[in-house]
Amino acid sequence: MFTSESEIILTIIVSTILLLLFSGAIIYFLFKYQRKRYFHQKEMLELKESFSKILLNSKIQIQEQTLDHISKELHSNIGQLASLININLSEILHNPNKESILETKVLTKSLISELKSISTALNTDYIMKIGFEKALKNELNRVSKIMKYPVNFKVLGNSFSIGPEREIILFRLCQEVINNIIQYAQASKIDIVLEYNNDSIKLVIEDNGVGFDTDLARENRDKNSSTGLLNISKRAKVINAKVNIVSKLNFGTKVFLLISR
């Protein structure tokens, strides 16, 4: 009888110890899991905040460059139209005639149209509303009117959105490439192909201008911290885009952009 009771007590003690150990192990693993989850969430939050800062900085830098280009455009194109209107008005005051009045009317209409186009190009909300593809098409139409040479735009595949934030940066990057062509390429034609695939977007921007030495441009960029054409790759990384720039002196330039969905 005594032995039986001892065995029962021993069994209870052992069972209790095993239960406590098992419970302790469960609590320990739960604690480890919660701790790991907490640090994972914290890390993800920090990465998200870091990405948001990089995204914001990229948007600000690109917008600054866009504003700089627009200011130059206002000075040249808008300023020229305004000067012509002023000259015509002075002539009309001294010698009113139907021809001068009609010419002034046409110039004024062109001025209003140009101001509207520039305003649209700067309006981020409008670009987000109409989407990247249409915004790029509008920008190319505007460039074609200014430069007086063909800007060919071809779209392949079924279009889809990669998100408004990424599309804005992609649009500003395209503006930067096009602005570089206008300022430096001395081109007589621009060809752009936008291709939608299942999981990515491929964009090719090609001109038939004077081209440039990519190795020299990269070297100058590294030395002078330049924000020129080759620096586009740095910002493209923010939207998970890969950039490849192929150029040769007197043979034009091709810019390849590949954006994951």
Side-chain angles (χ1 to χ4, degrees):
M1 182 74 180
F2 179 77
T3 304
S4 179
E5 287 179 358
S6 299
E7 287 176 352
I8 292 169
I9 293 169
L10 182 63
T11 302
I12 292 170
I13 292 169
V14 171
S15 299
T16 304
I17 291 170
L18 288 172
L19 183 63
L20 287 171
L21 287 171
F22 181 71
S23 300
I26 291 173
I27 292 168
Y28 172 76
F29 284 115
L30 280 173
F31 172 76
K32 287 280 288 183
Y33 171 76
Q34 289 294 339
R35 190 168 181 269
K36 189 176 180 180
R37 187 181 176 187
Y38 167 75
F39 282 111
H40 176 70
Q41 288 177 339
K42 186 181 177 183
E43 186 181 356
M44 291 301 293
L45 184 63
E46 287 173 354
L47 284 171
K48 190 176 179 181
E49 288 176 355
S50 176
F51 175 76
S52 296
K53 286 178 182 177
I54 293 169
L55 195 68
L56 180 61
N57 288 334
S58 295
K59 285 174 70 177
I60 290 169
Q61 288 174 6
I62 293 167
Q63 284 172 358
E64 284 297 318
Q65 288 188 351
T66 304
L67 287 170
D68 180 62
H69 169 70
I70 294 296
S71 69
K72 289 173 183 175
E73 205 166 286
L74 284 169
H75 183 266
S76 56
N77 298 324
I78 302 297
Q80 186 181 14
L81 285 169
S83 297
L84 289 171
I85 290 169
N86 186 48
I87 291 166
N88 277 17
L89 288 173
S90 298
E91 186 181 331
I92 290 167
L93 284 172
H94 292 92
N95 182 28
N97 61 81
K98 189 177 179 180
E99 187 179 334
S100 294
I101 292 169
L102 288 173
E103 187 183 349
T104 305
K105 187 178 179 181
V106 171
L107 287 169
T108 304
K109 191 176 179 181
S110 297
L111 179 65
I112 293 167
S113 176
E114 191 65 23
L115 284 169
K116 187 178 178 182
S117 297
I118 290 172
S119 174
T120 302
L122 286 173
N123 192 332
T124 299
D125 291 336
Y126 178 75
I127 294 164
M128 290 172 74
K129 184 180 178 182
I130 65 173
F132 166 74
E133 185 182 316
K134 194 170 181 180
L136 181 59
K137 187 176 181 180
N138 291 343
E139 179 70 3
L140 296 175
N141 287 336
R142 186 177 75 85
V143 169
S144 183
K145 288 176 184 176
I146 293 168
M147 302 310 296
K148 310 294 184 186
Y149 58 62
V151 180
N152 305 308
F153 183 43
K154 185 188 289 185
V155 180
L156 304 173
N158 298 318
S159 63
F160 57 82
S161 174
I162 55 171
E165 292 290 335
R166 295 176 75 198
E167 286 190 357
I168 284 293
I169 290 185
L170 180 60
F171 176 72
R172 298 302 181 199
L173 287 176
C174 290
Q175 276 187 318
E176 188 174 351
V177 174
I178 294 162
N179 292 343
N180 274 282
I181 294 172
I182 293 168
Q183 289 180 45
Y184 308 114
Q186 300 175 37
S188 60
K189 185 179 70 167
I190 301 175
D191 292 312
I192 297 177
V193 178
L194 175 62
E195 183 180 350
Y196 293 96
N197 297 307
N198 292 331
D199 56 356
S200 63
I201 296 173
K202 184 180 178 182
L203 188 65
V204 181
I205 304 173
E206 181 180 5
D207 68 74
N208 64 343
V210 295
F212 64 97
D213 187 327
T214 53
D215 292 332
L216 182 62
R218 190 178 290 108
E219 186 181 333
N220 289 336
R221 180 198 63 179
D222 295 338
K223 285 180 180 177
N224 306 321
S225 300
S226 169
T227 55
L229 187 62
L230 290 173
N231 211 31
I232 289 168
S233 57
K234 181 181 175 183
R235 290 174 190 147
K237 288 179 182 177
V238 177
I239 55 171
N240 295 324
K242 294 179 181 178
V243 181
N244 185 28
I245 300 169
V246 179
S247 188
K248 191 176 179 182
L249 289 171
N250 303 316
F251 285 92
T253 301
K254 271 189 180 182
V255 178
F256 298 88
L257 280 162
L258 184 66
I259 306 99
S260 300
R261 191 169 185 175

